[in-house]
Amino acid sequence: MTSPSAQRGQTRDSSALRNLAKARIFWPLVTLALLLLFNLVTNPAFFSITVRDGHLYGSLIDILNRASPLMIIAMGLTLVIATHGIDISVGAVVAISGAVAATMIGGQLVLEGGMKDVTLYPLPAVIAVSLAVAMLLGMWNGLLVSYFGMQPIIATLILLVTGRGLAQLITGGQIITIYYSPYYFIGNGFVAGIPFSLFIVAAVLGVLLLLTRKTALGLFIEAVGINPVAARFSGVRARAITFWVYAFCGLCAGIAGLIVSSNVKSADGNNAGLLFELDAILAVVLGGTSLGGGRFTLTGGVLGALIIQTLTTTIYAAGVAPEVTLVVKAGVVFLVSILQSDKVRNRLASLGRPREALS
Amino acid sequence: MNHVKAAPAAELPLLIPPRPKLRLDPRYLPLTVTLGLFVAMFGAGSYAFDGFFSLQVFLNLFIDNSFLVITAIGMTFVIISGGIDLSVGSVIALTTMVLAALVENQGWSPALAIPLVLIMGAAIGFIQGFVIHFFELQPFIVTLAGMFLARGLCYLISINSIAITHSFFTEVSAIRFPLPFDSSISINVVIALAVFAGALYLAHYTRFGRTIYAMGGNEQSALLMGLPVARTKILTYTFSGFCSALAGVSFTFYMLSGYGLHAQGMEMDAIAAAVIGGTLLTGGSGYIAGTLAGVLIYGTIQTLIMFEGSLSSWWTKIVIGLLLLVFCLFQKVFERLTQRRGAARPA
């Protein structure tokens, strides 16, 4: 944390705000750095990146690649949580969007001197329809929350319960294997040596940062999260913002669904995106966005997703049984949420710097 | 909002225009709708399928869902208190796992192992309640962590299923209490009904129960009224943890195995049962009896799909989701109606 005197030109208020914004990203960064350091000590080969066939390979690239669905979902969820909401249906939407895509491609294996690419519909149509379905599901959540005034957790619980059933309905209860290699590119392709899914992440992050930082949208979302009624009275279209935030979260889950199904080359209505909602919430919380709404950091959500994936990879790499991951995750959630609680924060703040106990 | 104290029925005609005498108290409307829905569904099944209308089919709803009854009752208390407990499913799994590991692998006596897992479940609930209360954290996130923890602990014990062959468990699971018309119930049903009776007493006839309702209605005013909010909140989660562990024990009798994947998604089923039973997720209002009706509806949907034969199991999820939606919307409308009536009263 930089000392306030470093920014002498600013007024005291804005420098305090700046410190706060920095502090938000600060802890996730420290966590990630500690994890990476641990890896560096225990496994020196962790940071080595090799080039094979013009593609980058290595643990770090692997972590980035595997974390990409979660990073995208975490961004959508960050916005939802910023409006003081929650979306626990993202896992189900991941399953549905993958199911739609796999069903539209068809899942027949045709051998003609090697595997022949078969698809019932052209790829752009497949992608467009899957994403549209995912966004519609998000809009459905948004409708229930913003226009019917339903509690977000219940509104999305309905989709969580129904969604897996719908996904199985679409796939007919089967795991549909995809035999269409252009589709694999989404989750497994490389552009300029870098996994293609990372470009998707970067694109989503870029658009969101542009929208929330360069326009007033970010401020509106925060206003809705702090007090929707007050926001409405001050001219913010609170309902519309809530609605579109959920719609966007659905879209994000849809994109993640495409990446996941393309990565494993199949769609499984029952298990695709299982417990994703929990990982995504964990990512957002780890990233420093408070579940109380009002303040959010998109980069924090992305970092949170990276922390989770690094943690998982570290546990695997350290030779610990993969079963331990859940216990470790639980410990992390407990610790982080306790550290995030107002009580602990206030006490820490009053211990260290009594004058800045505002946060 | 808060229905802790029943308004004397005699005063009602003074406040609202006179209506037909047999008018239902609006507080019981959600419960009545739920019961009516159950009767309608069971009736439809009896009409459509031969052999559906029998006492045994009805009792099977209890036999196959007794653990859900127990879990959902604990969940109902938590929801009425204004919280939520997402850890129930994994606590059930952990209970089956610990029980199986202790009895089968360690050779413990079930007389020792069963009380131990019950204490363990209650302890998990206690810790969650403690953290929720003292760190002022959202119940949602704390019990989510509890969910991860309990599932993780299952896999630490074993990633495989442990079959239970101990004579106590096989014998207990085979017990059938005969009832008239060639029907019978299992011991799980007896446990579930005992929990149900205890919960009815606890919710409606004790200070603890009233405090839970008051707390769910408005925690701040409950605190100002001098009610023991801290103790009650922690005890509510402890009770839910205990119920989950008890459900886990009854699940072990049902499945005769311990497995980390047991009861996956059970928390959602329990929440759905409570909501369909008329419990408001905002807290402060709900009935234990409604939750039982909710579980029965859940069981009826499964039985209907089973009798139908051509429908797949995922239709259960879709129908439950739709029912959840309908009931939530119904509650919203109902809430708005009662609010309007309440607002109109002083004028």
Side-chain angles (χ1 to χ4, degrees):
Chain A
M1 289 193 237
T2 55
S3 71
S5 59
Q7 298 131 351
R8 213 163 269 171
Q10 253 109 28
T11 59
R12 203 190 161 278
D13 267 352
S14 77
S15 78
L17 269 178
R18 265 173 177 238
N19 277 340
L20 210 77
K22 272 185 188 156
R24 248 157 223 288
I25 300 285
F26 181 73
W27 289 110
L29 272 177
V30 169
T31 319
L32 191 58
L34 281 176
L35 268 176
L36 292 177
L37 195 72
F38 175 81
N39 275 308
L40 185 67
V41 175
T42 54
N43 177 15
F46 188 80
F47 281 90
S48 76
I49 292 173
T50 51
V51 182
R52 239 180 284 160
D53 314 329
H55 300 164
L56 295 176
Y57 281 96
S59 297
L60 286 181
I61 302 294
D62 196 42
I63 288 174
L64 284 170
N65 198 3
R66 289 206 183 167
S68 45
L70 195 56
M71 287 197 267
I72 292 173
I73 292 180
M75 283 187 265
L77 196 63
T78 300
L79 294 184
V80 168
I81 289 178
T83 64
H84 195 108
I86 190 94
D87 187 346
I88 54 173
S89 68
V90 285
V93 177
V94 165
I96 291 174
S97 109
V100 170
T103 314
M104 283 184 75
I105 287 170
Q108 318 149 263
L109 176 65
V110 177
L111 289 170
E112 241 176 52
M115 194 188 95
K116 192 176 173 247
D117 290 327
V118 182
T119 176
L120 293 177
Y121 298 91
L123 191 58
V126 170
I127 293 173
V129 172
S130 317
L131 293 185
V133 167
M135 191 154 169
L136 275 176
L137 291 170
M139 287 161 107
W140 163 255
N141 281 335
L143 189 76
L144 289 183
V145 173
S146 63
Y147 290 93
F148 287 98
M150 218 178 258
Q151 270 176 285
I153 183 162
I154 302 157
T156 52
L157 173 77
I158 293 170
L159 187 55
L160 170 79
V161 174
T162 323
R164 296 240 164 247
L166 285 177
Q168 277 176 308
L169 187 69
I170 295 167
T171 61
Q174 307 285 318
I175 297 175
I176 298 186
T177 316
I178 298 168
Y179 301 102
Y180 185 59
S181 55
Y183 187 72
Y184 303 162
F185 187 78
I186 302 173
N188 300 310
F190 283 82
V191 172
I194 299 167
F196 178 64
S197 54
L198 283 183
F199 286 93
I200 307 177
V201 176
V204 176
L205 182 63
V207 168
L208 278 184
L209 282 180
L210 215 66
L211 281 177
T212 55
R213 292 282 167 254
K214 294 293 165 197
T215 73
L217 188 65
L219 199 67
F220 289 167
I221 289 174
E222 292 188 343
V224 172
I226 292 166
N227 189 338
V229 179
R232 206 177 70 230
F233 281 135
S234 46
V236 178
R237 294 179 61 204
R239 278 190 170 176
I241 284 181
T242 314
F243 177 79
W244 286 109
V245 160
Y246 280 91
F248 182 74
C249 188
L251 180 67
C252 283
I255 299 173
L258 290 184
I259 297 178
V260 169
S261 63
S262 142
N263 214 330
V264 297
K265 300 176 182 173
S266 64
D268 179 355
N270 221 6
N271 292 313
L274 199 64
L275 295 181
F276 251 46
E277 49 278 351
L278 307 182
D279 275 349
I281 294 166
L282 179 55
V284 174
V285 173
L286 277 175
T289 297
S290 139
L291 277 172
R295 289 239 171 83
F296 70 96
T297 145
L298 288 164
T299 358
V302 173
L303 277 178
L306 281 177
I307 292 173
I308 293 175
Q309 191 55 50
T310 315
L311 191 70
T312 314
T313 311
T314 308
I315 291 171
Y316 292 160
V320 185
E323 301 89 67
V324 187
T325 329
L326 275 176
V327 180
V328 175
K329 268 186 197 166
V332 172
V333 183
F334 264 125
L335 203 70
V336 168
S337 43
I338 286 177
L339 283 178
Q340 256 204 6
S341 74
D342 288 339
K343 240 184 181 174
V344 175
R345 283 231 160 146
N346 286 343
R347 186 153 299 173
L348 283 180
S350 63
L351 275 181
R353 288 164 297 165
R355 290 182 63 197
E356 293 192 24
L358 273 166
S359 66
Chain B
M1 276 308 290
N2 202 341
H3 311 311
V4 181
K5 221 173 173 184
E11 281 181 11
L12 280 173
L14 298 174
L15 295 168
I16 48 175
R19 292 199 185 180
K21 269 213 164 173
L22 254 174
R23 203 176 151 270
L24 185 78
D25 188 330
R27 290 184 294 134
Y28 294 118
L29 190 60
L31 191 61
T32 320
V33 170
T34 309
L35 280 172
L37 184 70
F38 169 67
V39 171
M41 287 175 83
F42 204 83
S46 311
Y47 178 75
F49 306 111
D50 286 336
F52 192 96
F53 187 76
S54 75
L55 187 60
Q56 192 58 53
V57 169
F58 176 72
L59 291 176
N60 280 347
L61 296 180
F62 284 91
I63 294 175
D64 295 330
N65 293 297
S66 49
F67 37 85
L68 186 56
V69 172
I70 304 171
T71 324
I73 284 173
M75 180 71 87
T76 309
F77 275 91
V78 175
I79 295 178
I80 291 174
S81 83
I84 201 148
D85 188 350
L86 295 178
S87 70
V88 291
S90 42
V91 172
I92 292 176
L94 183 62
T95 312
T96 67
M97 205 70 197
V98 171
L99 209 51
L102 286 181
V103 172
E104 289 298 314
N105 300 351
Q106 309 291 325
W108 282 40
S109 155
L112 215 61
I114 291 177
L116 185 86
V117 290
L118 292 180
I119 293 171
M120 179 195 74
I124 294 176
F126 178 84
I127 295 168
Q128 292 184 146
F130 183 85
V131 172
I132 290 167
H133 182 76
F134 279 96
F135 293 101
E136 288 165 10
L137 292 173
Q138 289 194 9
F140 169 70
I141 199 85
V142 174
T143 53
L144 191 69
M147 174 191 193
F148 273 132
L149 186 73
R151 283 257 181 241
L153 290 176
C154 287
Y155 295 123
L156 279 188
I157 296 171
S158 167
I159 50 168
N160 296 316
S161 155
I162 304 175
I164 295 178
T165 51
H166 193 283
S167 57
F168 173 78
F169 282 92
T170 49
E171 276 165 24
V172 166
S173 74
I175 295 175
R176 287 288 179 276
F177 299 101
L179 286 176
F181 305 110
D182 284 337
S183 57
S184 61
I185 51 172
S186 67
I187 193 150
N188 282 342
V189 180
V190 179
I191 301 175
L193 290 178
V195 171
F196 176 65
L200 273 185
Y201 175 74
L202 206 58
H204 303 303
Y205 297 99
T206 63
R207 194 174 287 186
F208 174 68
R210 279 198 297 274
T211 311
I212 292 180
Y213 276 96
M215 209 165 75
N218 189 334
E219 193 173 328
Q220 211 60 42
S221 29
L223 203 64
L224 290 175
M225 272 194 276
L227 294 174
V229 167
R231 194 179 67 202
T232 311
K233 199 190 257 183
I234 295 175
L235 275 179
T236 311
Y237 285 95
T238 313
F239 180 70
S240 172
F242 173 79
C243 280
S244 315
L246 190 61
V249 173
S250 97
F251 201 77
T252 323
F253 290 143
Y254 186 74
M255 299 292 269
L256 285 177
S257 69
Y259 189 27
L261 282 175
H262 273 336
Q264 192 138 45
M266 182 82 99
E267 50 280 343
M268 299 308 165
D269 294 340
I271 296 170
V275 171
I276 292 172
T279 301
L280 283 183
L281 272 159
T282 36
S285 167
Y287 296 98
I288 306 298
T291 300
L292 183 69
V295 175
L296 288 182
I297 287 182
Y298 185 88
T300 311
I301 295 171
Q302 281 178 324
T303 315
L304 280 173
I305 285 168
M306 207 175 70
F307 266 79
E308 216 283 327
S310 67
L311 285 176
S312 307
S313 62
W314 54 77
W315 279 105
T316 315
K317 289 177 189 168
I318 297 178
V319 175
I320 287 283
L322 288 178
L323 270 185
L324 257 181
L325 173 71
V326 170
F327 272 83
C328 287
L329 289 178
F330 170 72
Q331 285 183 354
K332 249 345 299 164
V333 172
F334 180 68
E335 211 173 289
R336 223 162 264 180
L337 281 179
T338 47
Q339 263 171 13
R340 197 162 296 163
R341 192 175 297 155
R345 202 170 282 169

